[in-house]
């Protein structure tokens, strides 16, 4: 079992920055991938950024450039730095974890709300 808890969301104005954090607990040594997805109102959940336990990152097509994912394996934590926020970034941001060991499985946090509005 793995539990993921997000923090750092909130209200921001366009152009500002936010830093989201996700702390994992439980069987964290098996989390080969950690990262972030987001879901805006009326839209499907989409990839934001992920990072493997060896430091390889992957970004979604619409989240390259302004988003930076980082991971601290020792602290079982993954972060998401979002710069130059736009209203289209408004969404619930979900922490994501993946285990490759059998059986492969995904874990999700409850999400943290990011609202960008002027």
């Amino acid at each position: 079992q793995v539990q993921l808890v997000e923090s750092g969301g909130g209200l921001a104005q366009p152009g500002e920055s936010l830093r989201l954090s996700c702390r994992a607990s439980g069987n964290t040594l098996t989390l080969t991938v950690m990262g972030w997805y987001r879901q805006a109102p009326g839209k499907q959940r989409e990839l934001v950024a992920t990072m493997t336990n060896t430091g390889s990152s992957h970004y979604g097509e619409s989240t390259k450039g302004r988003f930076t994912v980082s991971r601290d394996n020792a602290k079982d934590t993954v972060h998401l730095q979002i710069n130059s926020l736009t209203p289209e970034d408004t969404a619930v941001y979900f922490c994501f974890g993946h285990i490759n060991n059998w059986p492969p499985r995904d874990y999700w946090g409850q999400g943290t709300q990011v609202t960008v509005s002027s």
Side-chain angles (χ1 to χ4, degrees), residues 14-92:
E16 295 182 341
S17 299
L18 285 175
R19 181 176 172 85
L20 309 182
S21 299
C22 174
R23 182 68 179 269
S25 61
N27 297 325
T28 59
L29 293 178
T30 60
L31 283 172
T32 57
V33 180
M34 292 187 69
W36 299 88
Y37 286 71
R38 69 181 181 182
Q39 187 166 21
K43 298 183 179 180
Q44 295 182 345
R45 188 173 299 185
E46 65 174 348
L47 169 69
V48 177
T50 60
M51 179 170 285
T52 69
N53 56 358
T54 57
S56 298
S57 61
H58 179 68
Y59 294 87
E61 286 293 327
S62 63
T63 55
K64 296 178 181 178
R66 298 185 296 108
F67 295 78
T68 303
V69 64
S70 59
R71 182 173 177 176
D72 187 338
N73 292 326
K75 297 183 178 180
D76 301 320
T77 302
V78 65
H79 304 280
L80 181 69
Q81 179 72 31
I82 314 175
N83 296 326
S84 301
L85 284 160
T86 72
E88 293 187 348
D89 295 323
T90 296
V92 177

Side-chain angles (χ1 to χ4, degrees), residues 3-19:
Q3 296 80 43
L4 305 174
V5 180
E6 305 96 334
S7 63
L11 178 64
Q13 294 184 334
E16 295 182 341
S17 299
L18 285 175
R19 181 176 172 85

